[in-house]
């Protein structure tokens, strides 16, 4: 049997409570076998070239998110080992018998793809709202992912990429870039004052996009100075450094609120993007947004949240938008256009500022060690593995 290397979590070998990291292990080379599984007729084998390491992957690295989803899905599949990872770019090397007929994809095509594998049957899927599918699986979480030199993927999730328009390292992160596009498509941003709470990669993409979509004042907020320096370089008008609040804090950051009031002439922002996750950040978003404004809730944390003076949401007439995944494939179309347009500088800035032209941010898969990865993940908001 042919085997390949993959970065994995094994529910029998890696204790969730005490282990960390992705463990490099051998796994069988994925194959198409339509007799054994008819779904292979609409699947492909991709030779993976570049993969992005996401905030979600960091959460799994530290065993903070998706414990139940990972272990339950493996139980259902009768597996003990999950291949992690979901942001990718690669080349199709083999296609199932129906793939070209139905999806127009052939061996040799360069592809990226959406990490959410939707059911196609539920009400939401049928009305074109696949991002909120009732029975979706996520690559690298509830299905085997792409931290491996080859992966078997459903053809319907693939997005063909043209390397003339989008460089392959950036094609590998179309998935999280699409999250930012999706967030920015919820409200009209022209002339708006916006705050971005949390400047990890998706928050930084949101700085670029709110600029491109016409926001007139972009205020970036983060606990890490280096993220704020990048936000500034990407086009934020103002940056505000905040302290990590005490775990139990149930009030908004009064200094942040005062600072935002000053920057907005006592009005508050029109739109707040919550992209950090903690309860305190949601409270900050609720306080800094003007009456009648919008809050885009994208940060994700397990557990219960509390909102003091809940009635203020009603009294202030706030609109809250929960955003998950990407609209398939509307978001992808927009992402491609925004990255292909060389005049807006977005692709160039992602490459230069966030990925530092690949210096120290792109790690050859063969060099992977837990220690190296941990070091690079603390130094850079976005890391890419190269096969
Ligand atoms: Zn991701
Ligand atoms: Zn569905």
């Amino acid at each position: 049997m042919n085997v390949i290397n993959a970065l994995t979590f094994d529910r029998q070998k890696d204790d969730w409570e005490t282990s960390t990291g992705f463990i490099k292990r051998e796994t069988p080379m994925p194959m198409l076998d339509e007799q054994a599984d008819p779904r292979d007729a609409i699947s492909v084998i991709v030779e993976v070239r570049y993969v992005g390491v996401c905030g979600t992957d960091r959460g799994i690295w530290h065993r903070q998110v998706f414990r139940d989803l990972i272990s339950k899905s493996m139980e259902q599949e009768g597996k003990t080992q999950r291949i992690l990872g979901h942001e990718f770019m690669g080349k199709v090397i083999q296609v199932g018998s129906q793939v070209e007929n139905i999806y127009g994809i052939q061996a040799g095509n360069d592809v990226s793809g959406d990490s959410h594998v939707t059911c196609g049957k539920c009400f939401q899927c049928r009305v074109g709202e696949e991002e909120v599918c009732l029975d979706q699986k996520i690559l690298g979480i509830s299905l085997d992912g792409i931290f491996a030199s080859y992966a078997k993927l459903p053809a319907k999730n693939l997005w063909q990429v043209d390397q003339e328009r989008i460089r392959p390292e950036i094609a590998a992160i179309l998935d999280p870039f699409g999250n930012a596009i999706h967030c920015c498509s919820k409200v009209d941003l022209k002339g708006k004052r916006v705050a971005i709470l949390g400047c990890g990669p998706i928050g930084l993409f949101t700085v670029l996009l709110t600029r491109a979509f016409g926001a007139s004042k972009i205020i970036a907020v983060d606990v890490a100075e280096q993220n704020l320096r990048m936000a500034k370089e990407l086009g934020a008008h103002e940056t505000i450094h905040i302290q990590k609040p005490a775990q139990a804090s149930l009030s908004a950051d009064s200094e942040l609120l005062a600072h935002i009031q000053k920057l907005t002439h006592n009005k508050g922002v029109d739109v707040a993007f919550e992209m950090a996750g903690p309860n305190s950040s949601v409270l900050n978003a609720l306080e800094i947004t003007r009456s009648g404004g919008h809050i885009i809730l994208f940060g994700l944390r397990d557990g219960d949240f509390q909102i003091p003076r809940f009635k203020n949401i009603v009294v202030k007439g706030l609109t809250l938008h929960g955003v998950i995944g990407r609209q398939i494939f509307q978001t992808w179309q927009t992402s491609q256009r925004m990255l292909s347009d060389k005049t807006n500088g977005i692709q160039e800035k992602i490459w230069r500022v966030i990925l530092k032209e690949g210096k120290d941010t792109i790690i050859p898969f063969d060099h992977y060690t837990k220690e190296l990865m941990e070091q690079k993940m603390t130094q850079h908001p976005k890391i890419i593995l190269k096969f």
Side-chain angles (χ1 to χ4, degrees):
M1 187 175 59
N2 279 335
V3 292
I4 57 171
N5 283 317
L7 301 183
T8 64
F9 170 77
D10 188 304
R11 67 187 161 105
Q12 280 171 357
K13 294 177 187 149
D14 310 327
D15 179 47
W16 188 272
E17 299 296 339
T18 56
S19 69
T20 57
F22 317 143
I23 312 302
K24 201 181 232 186
R25 292 191 170 94
E26 287 188 337
T27 180
M29 169 77 186
M31 296 202 307
L32 298 177
D33 182 352
E34 295 180 25
Q35 237 132 43
D37 186 349
R39 287 172 302 181
D40 281 4
I42 48 170
S43 298
V44 306
I45 304 293
V46 169
E47 183 183 23
V48 180
R49 290 188 58 206
Y50 292 95
V51 296
V53 178
C54 181
T56 304
D57 299 320
R58 288 169 188 249
I60 295 170
W61 181 281
H62 296 293
R63 313 286 188 255
Q64 289 167 335
V65 285
F66 292 126
R67 174 188 193 151
D68 290 351
L69 205 52
I70 293 173
S71 53
K72 279 194 190 121
S73 62
M74 278 196 276
E75 269 168 45
Q76 279 166 4
E77 289 178 70
K79 283 184 179 174
T80 64
Q81 183 174 295
R82 172 67 73 228
I83 301 172
L84 305 167
H86 60 269
E87 302 172 358
F88 70 98
M89 184 274 164
K91 190 180 280 300
V92 175
I93 57 160
Q94 198 189 348
V95 298
S97 58
Q98 297 305 311
V99 167
E100 191 171 355
N101 277 345
I102 302 176
Y103 301 106
I105 287 170
Q106 302 171 329
N109 288 159
D110 292 325
V111 291
S112 180
D114 204 283
S115 57
H116 291 223
V117 179
T118 56
C119 78
K121 293 179 248 178
C122 73
F123 178 83
Q124 281 73 233
C125 281
R126 298 295 285 168
V127 299
E129 297 173 4
E130 284 182 270
E131 72 276 14
V132 281
C133 168
L134 290 181
D135 190 19
Q136 62 184 308
K137 299 198 162 52
I138 306 177
L139 295 179
I141 296 172
S142 44
L143 273 180
D144 274 336
I146 49 65
F147 285 163
S149 35
Y150 295 89
K152 178 158 78 176
L153 299 170
K156 82 180 180 96
N157 278 62
L158 300 181
W159 175 261
Q160 284 196 52
V161 293
D162 176 356
Q163 292 190 58
E164 300 278 299
R165 294 163 74 180
I166 301 179
R167 61 182 314 141
E169 300 89 340
I170 289 182
I173 53 174
L174 274 165
D175 185 283
F177 185 75
N179 289 134
I181 290 274
H182 192 189
C183 288
C184 290
S185 69
K186 288 291 172 185
V187 289
D188 182 3
L189 292 164
K190 281 195 296 294
K192 299 285 163 59
R193 295 159 299 204
V194 309
I196 297 160
L197 307 176
C199 295
I202 296 169
L204 294 173
F205 297 150
T206 302
V207 170
L208 287 165
L209 290 167
T210 48
R211 260 278 180 178
F213 294 154
S216 61
K217 181 166 280 186
I218 300 161
I219 305 167
V221 180
D222 203 286
V223 295
E225 300 271 16
Q226 68 151 348
N227 290 359
L228 292 175
R229 278 195 295 275
M230 278 188 251
K232 189 91 193 180
E233 210 174 339
L234 296 174
H237 299 88
E238 305 282 349
T239 61
I240 304 177
H241 180 244
I242 58 168
Q243 301 296 330
K244 242 185 199 150
Q247 212 68 356
S249 167
L250 266 184
S251 54
D253 183 326
S254 56
E255 276 178 43
L256 170 69
L257 181 59
H259 203 147
I260 298 258
Q261 288 298 101
K262 198 164 157 232
L263 292 174
T264 58
H265 308 286
N266 291 321
K267 294 184 186 73
V269 296
D270 303 297
V271 185
F273 292 84
E274 198 301 296
M275 302 187 135
N279 197 153
S280 57
S281 186
V282 173
L283 300 180
N284 287 342
L286 289 168
E287 287 299 323
I288 64 172
T289 305
R290 71 164 174 87
S291 291
H294 294 256
I295 299 177
I296 311 294
L297 295 168
F298 179 77
L300 205 54
R301 275 290 159 91
D302 286 346
D304 298 328
F305 276 27
Q306 290 188 51
I307 299 177
R309 300 181 308 285
F310 181 85
K311 83 170 187 350
N312 281 355
I313 295 174
V314 179
V315 173
K316 284 177 77 177
L318 295 173
T319 306
L320 273 51
H321 307 257
V323 179
I324 181 81
R326 295 141 299 276
Q327 290 180 294
I328 303 169
F329 280 98
Q330 175 61 50
T331 297
W332 289 78
Q333 293 282 358
T334 314
S335 298
Q336 178 165 279
R337 264 173 250 150
M338 295 311 289
L339 290 168
S340 301
D341 173 7
K342 299 291 193 289
T343 66
N344 65 23
I346 290 179
Q347 184 170 186
E348 188 269 324
K349 282 183 180 156
I350 293 174
W351 179 241
R352 185 169 52 79
V353 179
I354 302 177
L355 293 176
K356 302 172 181 84
E357 300 178 331
K359 290 182 200 91
D360 211 36
T361 58
I362 297 180
I363 304 172
F365 185 75
D366 290 342
H367 295 187
Y368 173 89
T369 62
K370 231 181 106 178
E371 296 68 30
L372 178 72
M373 188 75 171
E374 205 144 63
Q375 183 199 348
K376 300 298 176 200
M377 284 199 306
T378 48
Q379 286 167 354
H380 306 288
K382 195 73 192 173
I383 293 295
I384 290 177
L385 298 172
K386 179 184 194 295
F387 288 87

